Amino acid sequence: PDLSIAAARAEEWDALLLPGGLINPDHLRGRPDAVALVQSFVAANKAVGAICHGPWLLIEAEALRGKRAT
């Protein structure tokens, strides 16, 4: 990676892609900086994609409330 989660800013990126697998999303959803980053992308109406177990982080960030996802 070129950038840490703490240094990432939604205003500098067009979209966010959350990793899949079992371990990565589980660790990320427990990190307040990762949750805040997802929330900032959602608040800015930017595209957010999630692979496999990646939606766990979207749920933690309350980004799916009232939305349908597949």
Side-chain angles (χ1 to χ4, degrees), residues 1-67:
D2 297 340
L3 189 66
S4 69
I5 292 171
R9 302 283 177 262
E11 56 271 6
E12 297 175 5
W13 301 93
D14 295 322
L16 177 65
L17 179 60
L18 302 172
L22 182 61
I23 302 301
N24 288 333
D26 196 39
H27 285 291
L28 288 173
R29 69 185 177 139
R31 291 186 53 176
D33 57 346
V35 173
L37 182 61
V38 170
Q39 290 170 333
S40 67
F41 271 84
V42 171
N45 258 349
K46 298 205 175 192
V48 178
I51 299 169
C52 190
H53 286 79
W56 281 355
L57 191 49
L58 295 174
I59 293 166
E60 189 69 32
E62 296 189 10
L64 295 179
R65 190 173 303 278
K67 297 184 173 128

